[in-house]
Amino acid sequence: MVMDGLTMEVGAVAAMRYVKDGIKAARLVMQHTKHTLLAGEKASEFAISMGLPGPTNLSSTESINKWGKWKDDKCQPNFRKNVLPINNCGPYHPTNSLELSEEICSNTAHMQDINSLLPHVGLHSHDTISMAVIDKMGRVAVGTSTNGATFKIPGRVGDGPIVGSSAYADNEVGACCATGDGDVMMRFLPCYQVVESMRLGMEPKSAAQDAIARIARRFPDFVGAVVAVNKKGEHAGACHGWTFTYSVRTLAMEDVEVFTVLP
C-alpha cells in the first residue's frame, strides 16, 4: 500500500501471487487507475500488464522447508478457531457440530495444546516493512509491504493494504506506520487514529501511545507497534507485547539512527 499525503490518493494490492514487487504494483494502482485496492489473481494480472516481471515462482528453499515441517506437524499452529480437523490438516468442522466423529475429537487436545503454546504473530512470523517520508517541499507519503502472517489461511488479507491501519499520511498533519498482529490492529485503524490525534494537538509520542493503548485494552495479548511523525519531522513510537525498534534518517545525517521502544 502507498499513500500520497498531498492528494490523499492510495494504491494497494492484496492476496497477490506470482509478482515479487507488491509495493510497485500498489504504486501502479495509485498512478494509473481510479481504484484504491486490487486483490487476488486479477491484481497479479494488472501488475504484469503494467510491466512488472511475472508470473514468477516466489517460493524459496527456506519457505518450502518451513511449509513442509508445518505439514509434518499436522498443520499446527494455524489461524483457525472453534473448529476440529479431519486427517490432521482438514477439512475442518465447527466444534459445535452434532456429528463429530471420534477421529475429530481425538485431535481436540492436540490442537489446543499447540495453539496455546505457540503465538501466531511474533518476531519471526511476519515481515512488515512500513515507511514514512517527508520530502524537501514538506510533502508526506507512506508505504507498507508485507508477505503477511506465516501459515495464514489462504485468501487472508491483513492490515498491510488497508488504509489507516498499516499506514496513513496527511500533509496537513504528518504520518503513521504500523506493524504487528494485523488481524487485530486493522479493527482499530491505528494509523488513522494517530494522525487524527496529532491533528487535534497531540505530540507524536502521546498519539502513538494512545492508539496502542486503545487496542491493548480490548486485546491485552496482541503484539504490535506504531511510529508517528508530524509534519515538522518530530517522531516517536509505541508498542505492546514486544520491544520494538525503528530507524530514522534526515538529509543532515550520514546514516540512519535506530530508536528502541519499550512496551
Side-chain angles (χ1 to χ4, degrees):
M1 188 272 283
V2 292
M3 182 174 187
D4 185 330
L6 176 62
T7 65
M8 305 305 286
E9 290 179 298
V10 174
V13 292
M16 187 177 70
R17 304 177 68 185
Y18 310 122
V19 177
K20 182 178 181 180
D21 298 314
I23 197 72
K24 290 183 179 179
R27 188 175 183 182
L28 290 171
V29 172
M30 182 180 72
Q31 292 178 325
H32 300 293
T33 81
K34 295 183 179 180
H35 300 310
T36 294
L37 171 63
L38 299 181
E41 179 183 347
K42 296 304 178 181
S44 302
E45 290 183 9
F46 168 80
I48 294 169
S49 76
M50 294 298 295
L52 294 186
T56 303
N57 183 357
L58 302 181
S59 296
S60 65
T61 300
E62 179 184 2
S63 66
I64 292 173
N65 289 339
K66 182 182 290 187
W67 177 81
K69 184 178 184 302
W70 179 71
K71 293 282 285 186
D72 292 341
D73 288 338
K74 301 180 179 180
C75 299
Q76 300 297 326
N78 61 46
F79 286 86
R80 299 179 186 273
K81 66 179 184 180
N82 302 325
V83 295
L84 296 175
I86 297 176
N87 297 327
N88 301 323
C89 290
Y92 294 83
H93 293 270
T95 54
N96 60 1
S97 172
L98 297 179
E99 298 180 356
L100 295 178
S101 67
E102 293 182 2
E103 181 179 7
I104 298 176
C105 293
S106 68
N107 289 320
T108 304
H110 176 73
M111 288 187 66
Q112 290 176 342
D113 289 345
I114 292 180
N115 283 312
S116 63
L117 293 174
L118 298 178
H120 288 152
V121 176
L123 295 177
H124 306 292
S125 61
H126 74 298
D127 59 354
T128 304
I129 298 173
S130 195
M131 182 179 295
V133 179
I134 305 175
D135 69 12
K136 294 180 180 180
M137 303 299 293
R139 186 166 176 164
V140 183
V142 291
T144 299
S145 181
T146 179
N147 280 330
T150 304
F151 308 134
K152 58 185 175 287
I153 298 172
R156 179 258 190 183
V157 175
D159 70 327
I162 305 303
V163 185
S165 186
S166 70
Y168 196 76
D170 188 331
N171 266 33
E172 297 179 353
V173 183
C176 168
C177 298
T179 184
D181 188 345
D183 288 289
V184 171
M185 297 179 76
M186 67 194 297
R187 304 169 192 176
F188 294 84
L189 296 180
C191 277
Y192 178 78
Q193 181 66 53
V194 165
V195 172
E196 290 306 300
S197 292
M198 291 193 296
R199 190 191 305 278
L200 295 175
M202 278 192 185
E203 296 298 318
K205 183 175 182 179
S206 296
Q209 291 176 336
D210 177 68
I212 288 295
R214 288 169 184 257
I215 305 174
R217 284 195 292 268
R218 302 295 294 272
F219 295 92
D221 295 327
F222 100 99
V223 174
V226 297
V227 174
V229 56
N230 63 23
K231 63 182 181 181
K232 296 183 289 185
E234 298 168 337
H235 59 86
C239 62
H240 183 84
W242 61 358
T243 298
F244 175 71
T245 60
Y246 69 97
S247 60
V248 175
R249 184 173 183 177
T250 68
L251 290 175
M253 299 167 61
E254 294 185 359
D255 200 357
V256 299
E257 182 177 357
V258 178
F259 294 81
T260 299
V261 183
L262 301 177

